[in-house]
Amino acid sequence: MPKSRISPFTRRGVIAAGGALGLVAALAACGGTDEAKDGAGDKGSAASGAWSFTDDLGKPVSTKAKPKNIVAFTGTAAALYDYGIPVKGVFGPTRTADGKPDVQAGSMDISKVEILGNVYDEFNVEKYAALQPDLLVTNTWDGTYWYVPEASKDKILKLAPAAAIKVGGDVTLDKALERTADLAKSLGADMNAKNTVDAKARFEAAAAKLREATKANPGIKVLVGSGSADLFYASTPDTSADLKYFKSLGVEFVTPDKLDEGGFFESLSWENAGKYKADVVLLDNRTGTLQPEELKAKATWAELPAVKAGQITPRVTEPIYSYAKCAQILEDLAKSIQNAKKVS
C-alpha cells in the first residue's frame, strides 16, 4: 500500500525543521553527499575504502567509506538489525503510546536509537543532521522514499545519500528479502553466520509448509482487510510483495472489484463491510488500525462468516524484510489455512 494505514487519518503532522537549512549547507560543504559516478554493482569494501550500492530505484549510491552512521525507516532498520547492522536513527512507527516498541521495530532496542519521527509525515530534519548521517535507507512502494515527508524531502536528501528497497508493484516477498540481504551484506553483514543461514532455511521450509497447506485444504478464501473508525479497507493481493508471494504459493484471495486510486484497496463504509465473504480474514496488525476486540462494536464485522468462525489471522502489513521475521509470517499463515473450515 502506498500510504500508511495510519496516514489517511493523521498524516498531516507538521515537522519542526528550524535551523535545518544551515545544517544542510554545512554538511554539504563537508562533502556529506557523495554521488556515484558510475553504475557499479552492489559492493561494500573495507571501512577505509569506498562503498557503493545500486538501489531499487535504479540509482547508484556511493560513499567514500562504508557507512557507519545509518538512519533508516523503522521496519528497514529492524531488518538490518537482524543481520547485525546497527543504525543510529529511525523514522516511522517505533514507539507506541504506552512507550512500548511498535510492531515494526522488531527485535531492536528502541532506547538505543534516535527517533526522528514516530508517525507518517513526521521527520525531525535538525536531529537527522545532528547525527551526521552517512546513509539513509528505506523502502519504496511506488518510486518514492517511504516515510520521507514530501514537504522536507529535498532538505533530507541533501544531507546524505539514500537507498530504497522495493516492496510493491512487480516485486514479491522473496525478491524484497534478497535485496534487503544484498544491502545488509554490502554494509558488512556476515551472510554465512549461523543465525542468518538458519533463518533462510527456516523461511524456505515455511514457504513449503504454506504451499502444502493450500494443497491440503483447497478452496479456502482469504480476505485481506484493515479497519478504521469509519471505513473497512479490502486489499487486493496483486500489488504488495507479501500478498503476491502468498498467492504464488497457492493462497486463494478475495479480490476487490472497485479499487481506490492507487490500486491497493477498496474503501468500504461499515454498512457495506460485508460485501466480500471469505473463510479467513487477514487483518492489518499495525498500530493505529482497529483490532478484533475494537471491531466487535461494528455489526457488519461481527456478521462476517470468518469472524463468526473465529478465523482471523493478523497480517503483518509492512513486513520486516529479514528471513527470520518473514519465516514466522509464513508459518502462521500456513497454520491458519491448514486449520480453516470452509464457511463462506
Side-chain angles (χ1 to χ4, degrees):
M1 57 203 39
K3 299 288 185 187
S4 164
R5 184 64 75 219
I6 306 170
S7 67
F9 320 112
T10 60
R11 71 185 184 207
R12 298 303 177 196
V14 178
I15 59 172
L21 284 174
L23 286 166
V24 169
L27 286 175
C30 294
T33 57
D34 259 305
E35 293 296 332
K37 292 185 175 135
D38 56 45
D42 308 341
K43 57 184 179 181
S45 55
S48 59
W51 172 87
S52 66
F53 182 83
T54 301
D55 77 352
D56 290 347
L57 297 178
K59 187 184 68 166
V61 186
S62 70
T63 56
K64 292 178 180 178
K66 187 178 295 182
K68 292 183 178 179
N69 293 343
I70 302 169
V71 173
F73 167 66
T74 303
T76 313
L80 292 176
Y81 179 89
D82 285 351
Y83 288 113
I85 304 298
V87 303
K88 291 293 183 70
V90 296
F91 54 96
T94 308
R95 181 185 289 126
T96 59
D98 60 4
K100 295 179 180 178
D102 188 274
V103 64
Q104 293 192 60
S107 301
M108 281 193 304
D109 182 348
I110 64 172
S111 69
K112 295 182 178 179
V113 294
E114 183 77 51
I115 300 174
L116 305 176
N118 200 50
V119 296
Y120 194 81
D121 255 4
E122 180 181 85
F123 192 119
N124 191 311
V125 183
E126 190 169 12
K127 284 185 177 180
Y128 177 56
L131 290 174
Q132 298 184 316
D134 298 320
L135 178 69
L136 181 145
V137 183
T138 187
N139 294 330
T140 183
W141 292 79
D142 56 3
T144 61
Y145 293 102
W146 187 230
Y147 264 80
V148 175
E150 185 65 29
S152 53
K153 177 185 67 176
D154 292 344
K155 296 176 186 177
I156 293 165
L157 297 180
K158 284 179 181 177
L159 286 166
I165 300 298
K166 193 174 183 182
V167 298
D170 59 352
V171 171
T172 52
L173 179 70
D174 53 336
K175 182 62 177 177
L177 281 166
E178 288 176 11
R179 290 293 290 148
T180 303
D182 288 343
L183 175 61
K185 181 179 180 181
S186 78
L187 293 169
D190 179 4
M191 307 312 289
N192 293 317
K194 185 178 186 305
N195 61 332
T196 298
V197 173
D198 289 350
K200 187 172 183 180
R202 180 186 171 192
F203 174 83
E204 292 169 348
K209 286 180 183 177
L210 180 54
R211 190 184 295 278
E212 290 167 6
T214 61
K215 289 180 179 179
N217 197 5
I220 296 298
K221 297 291 185 182
V222 178
L223 174 64
V224 183
S226 183
S228 72
D230 299 320
L231 296 169
F232 180 71
Y233 301 91
S235 294
T236 174
D238 297 325
T239 51
S240 300
D242 60 332
L243 301 182
K244 285 169 65 70
Y245 186 61
F246 303 158
K247 190 174 180 180
S248 75
L249 295 175
V251 177
E252 298 182 42
F253 287 103
V254 173
T255 301
D257 55 28
K258 191 178 180 182
L259 300 179
D260 293 9
E261 183 179 357
F264 281 81
F265 49 77
E266 179 177 354
S267 299
L268 300 167
S269 67
W270 278 109
E271 290 78 9
N272 295 314
K275 178 178 179 180
Y276 301 108
K277 302 296 188 292
D279 306 299
V280 173
V281 174
L282 265 184
L283 184 67
D284 190 345
N285 77 333
R286 287 179 296 175
T287 302
T289 65
L290 299 184
Q291 298 306 302
E293 192 62 31
E294 300 163 302
L295 287 168
K296 286 181 179 179
K298 305 292 186 183
T300 46
W301 166 261
E303 290 301 313
L304 290 175
V307 175
K308 284 185 174 181
Q311 294 178 171
I312 307 166
T313 298
R315 180 197 175 195
V316 182
T317 306
E318 292 183 54
I320 293 169
Y321 288 95
S322 70
Y323 288 106
K325 295 298 187 292
C326 289
Q328 185 68 57
I329 293 172
L330 291 176
E331 289 166 354
D332 291 345
L333 182 56
K335 184 177 180 180
S336 294
I337 290 177
Q338 182 178 1
N339 295 334
K341 295 180 181 179
K342 187 72 179 173
V343 294
S344 65

